[in-house]
Amino acid sequence: MATSPKKSSQDLSIQVGRVFTPTSPIDERSLFAGREEQVRLILDVINQKGQHAILYGERGVGKTSLANVLSSFWGLANRIVATRINCDATDDYNSAWRKVFDQIALTSEQPGLGFTREPRFKVASAADLLGPSPATPASVRSALTKLATQALPILIIDEFDRLGQEPRRAFADTIKTLSDSAVNATIILVGVADSVEQLIHEHQSVERALVQIRMPRMSKAEIGAIIANGAARLKMSFSSVAGGRIAKLSQGLPHYTHLLALHACRAALDKQSMTVDTDAVKTAINKAISGAQQSIRTAYEYAVRSPRKDNLFSDVLLACAMAETNELGYFAAQDVRPPLQDITGRRYEIPSFAQHLNEFCDSKRGPILHKDGTRRLFRYRFINPLLQPFVVMRGVDADRIKESALD
Ligand SMILES: Nc1ncnc2c1ncn2[C@@H]1O[C@H](COP(=O)(O)OP(=O)(O)O)[C@@H](O)[C@H]1O
Ligand SMILES: [Mg+2]
């Protein structure tokens, strides 16, 4: 029986939600885009006895996704047990390691009984290797040494930033002791941070054993690959301007690529089209704003609220979001001037919006921006990186900036 066009468009619309997943990490290699360099660096670490890695970067850049697909990059030839845990604020060193070992199953051969005498396999949790007392770097080393006789363990500790000082220090000690005794196991710490010092204060003492891998925002080409992979899977296409606008709005954050592509594909399908054009992107921007996390919408409203209608807060914030940044996302007051002129059609000098910038850095309006540096050299950055594209989308939706500014 032939399916009706309506039905197949509905099916496809559901399928779109499996391909573009703004709120869940990628767990499938074929939908994973780019990141060749970071993958290669981690594989090198795994192949070097005594080396471990720390993968760090902004929230939402794709750290967990990389950790999820890592195992697809090594061949089946190696006997590897890979596992990933998420730390939370209630975890300590002991509970984090119990989570790791609980996830690993050990199989051991038992001599068979009966006529056939076929060996039987007994499956046990690796948690027994840790013993009953609270885990210490020494007991973890000993457990991993035993585990490594069966297979090469690769242990990914995600959301490492959520652990307290003490457990983090104990992890650093663990890495040191594993490296010193050349245990054939690899620990990969993953966390939100601008620098390794933020995650491990005493990182110098483990410097040789701990390879630092920064996860930058995605390049335009990598963002383009997310769109292309998804389109290929859905047998849909994006006009080059539409794809370019989604890429520009994403600002290197794949969350927004997924969010906008998801809504844009559905908008196209609603019009019985298999091609995403700029109209579909416009609809997607509107949907993305209303569907954004409540915390983001609230932070925005709080930052720009004012009793006066003719106030400049939303325009200055939009100009901040459009400003040229350095690779850590920082901009200076003078970078705000050109976009502010585009938005308002008037030239404002720095003193006329300096107060606005100050208030954005203050609890009065959030703070929504973080200020770094010293007088005359102040640099600003959005505290929550996800707010920056949101502010730009609001600007497009409210016609404060032309969509063509995104080309
Ligand atoms: N390499 C990638 N290819 C395609 N999508 C990605 C990639 N990396 C991340 N994403 C998407 O970006 C969003 C954030 O990714 P996630 O791995 O959760 O980031 P992080 O762990 O750094 O906060 C998710 O929607 C995920 O599907
Ligand atoms: Mg993550």
Side-chain angles (χ1 to χ4, degrees):
M1 203 171 69
T3 46
S4 71
K6 181 124 195 269
K7 170 86 169 49
S8 63
S9 139
Q10 265 172 6
D11 289 350
L12 201 50
S13 194
I14 293 169
Q15 170 90 25
V16 170
R18 296 202 192 101
V19 170
F20 293 118
T21 52
T23 51
S24 44
I26 296 287
D27 54 12
E28 191 189 323
R29 167 86 175 267
S30 57
L31 291 175
F32 181 79
R35 303 306 198 185
E36 281 88 8
E37 189 186 337
Q38 288 75 22
V39 170
R40 188 174 46 76
L41 287 169
I42 294 189
L43 293 182
D44 284 350
V45 166
I46 291 169
N47 289 325
Q48 290 290 319
K49 223 187 210 171
Q51 287 214 321
H52 305 270
I54 182 159
L55 181 68
Y56 67 98
E58 289 173 290
R59 189 176 304 287
V61 283
K63 300 176 297 299
T64 301
S65 299
L66 173 57
N68 275 348
V69 301
L70 257 187
S71 58
S72 70
F73 286 91
W74 49 73
L76 288 173
N78 306 332
R79 277 168 53 90
I80 284 178
V81 275
T83 190
R84 179 177 71 84
I85 61 143
N86 277 329
C87 301
D88 60 56
T90 65
D91 275 321
D92 56 18
Y93 183 77
N94 177 56
S95 66
W97 276 108
R98 302 244 164 233
K99 279 187 188 171
V100 172
F101 280 93
D102 277 344
Q103 284 190 13
I104 301 173
L106 294 177
T107 43
S108 55
E109 240 177 74
Q110 305 270 304
L113 299 169
F115 292 124
T116 57
R117 302 213 166 238
E118 272 181 25
R120 291 182 314 167
F121 292 94
K122 193 169 151 233
V123 181
S125 158
D128 298 341
L129 295 177
L130 265 184
S133 326
T136 62
S139 70
V140 168
R141 185 196 57 208
S142 138
L144 287 177
T145 307
K146 285 179 205 143
L147 189 59
T149 59
Q150 301 210 357
L152 171 64
I154 298 171
L155 313 164
I156 301 170
I157 317 294
D158 201 352
E159 318 231 344
F160 184 68
D161 53 291
R162 305 194 63 189
L163 292 179
Q165 264 335 318
E166 266 312 308
R168 281 196 245 159
R169 184 169 310 137
F171 266 96
D173 290 343
T174 311
I175 284 169
K176 199 157 182 312
T177 173
L178 287 176
S179 181
D180 289 346
S181 42
V183 178
N184 207 3
T186 308
I187 297 183
I188 303 174
L189 306 175
V190 179
V192 177
D194 283 341
S195 68
V196 168
E197 294 87 89
Q198 286 176 353
L199 292 175
I200 301 187
H201 290 312
E202 40 293 294
H203 66 106
Q204 270 139 346
S205 65
V206 283
E207 206 151 53
R208 269 183 312 123
L210 191 63
V211 177
Q212 308 181 1
I213 303 174
R214 192 170 85 85
M215 193 76 162
R217 290 194 178 191
M218 291 185 110
S219 67
K220 267 228 153 143
E222 288 176 316
I223 295 284
I226 297 180
I227 299 173
N229 288 348
R233 172 70 66 89
L234 297 163
K235 301 197 169 56
M236 293 183 69
S237 62
F238 286 69
S239 80
S240 65
V241 184
R245 284 185 188 171
I246 292 178
K248 175 98 187 227
L249 279 168
S250 301
Q251 306 201 11
L253 297 168
H255 164 75
Y256 281 108
T257 317
H258 283 258
L259 183 65
L260 289 167
L262 169 76
H263 290 304
C265 284
R266 286 188 172 157
L269 291 172
D270 284 346
K271 290 191 170 172
Q272 258 77 70
S273 167
M274 294 293 277
T275 304
V276 173
D277 59 11
T278 52
D279 277 349
V281 174
K282 176 105 190 175
T283 310
I285 290 171
N286 185 269
K287 282 258 162 67
I289 292 170
S290 46
Q293 292 161 29
Q294 187 60 43
S295 59
I296 290 186
R297 301 208 315 248
T298 313
Y300 176 82
E301 298 302 339
Y302 189 69
V304 302
R305 79 200 187 293
S306 166
R308 293 188 45 175
K309 258 206 131 86
D310 59 345
N311 78 88
L312 209 55
F313 286 105
S314 61
D315 287 343
V316 174
L317 192 62
L318 177 55
C320 290
M322 297 290 287
E324 293 275 341
T325 63
N326 68 12
E327 64 150 12
L328 288 175
Y330 281 101
F331 57 87
Q334 74 239 29
D335 302 317
V336 176
R337 211 166 30 196
L340 190 57
Q341 183 164 4
D342 290 343
I343 295 159
T344 59
R346 281 183 55 188
R347 186 173 167 84
Y348 288 95
E349 293 307 325
I350 294 174
S352 48
F353 59 84
Q355 181 58 23
H356 298 74
L357 291 180
N358 275 337
E359 288 194 20
F360 288 142
C361 299
D362 191 283
S363 57
K364 252 194 207 161
R365 297 196 174 268
I368 193 167
L369 298 182
H370 168 72
K371 180 155 73 174
D372 216 14
T374 50
R375 222 179 129 72
R376 294 192 170 282
L377 275 173
F378 284 134
R379 293 277 180 280
Y380 303 86
R381 180 167 83 167
F382 280 83
I383 291 174
N384 177 352
L386 293 177
L387 256 152
Q388 187 186 2
F390 179 83
V391 173
V392 176
M393 293 194 301
R394 285 287 304 237
V396 175
D397 196 52
D399 286 328
R400 295 302 289 160
I401 46 174
K402 293 192 202 73
E403 282 167 88
S404 55
L406 303 173
D407 297 340

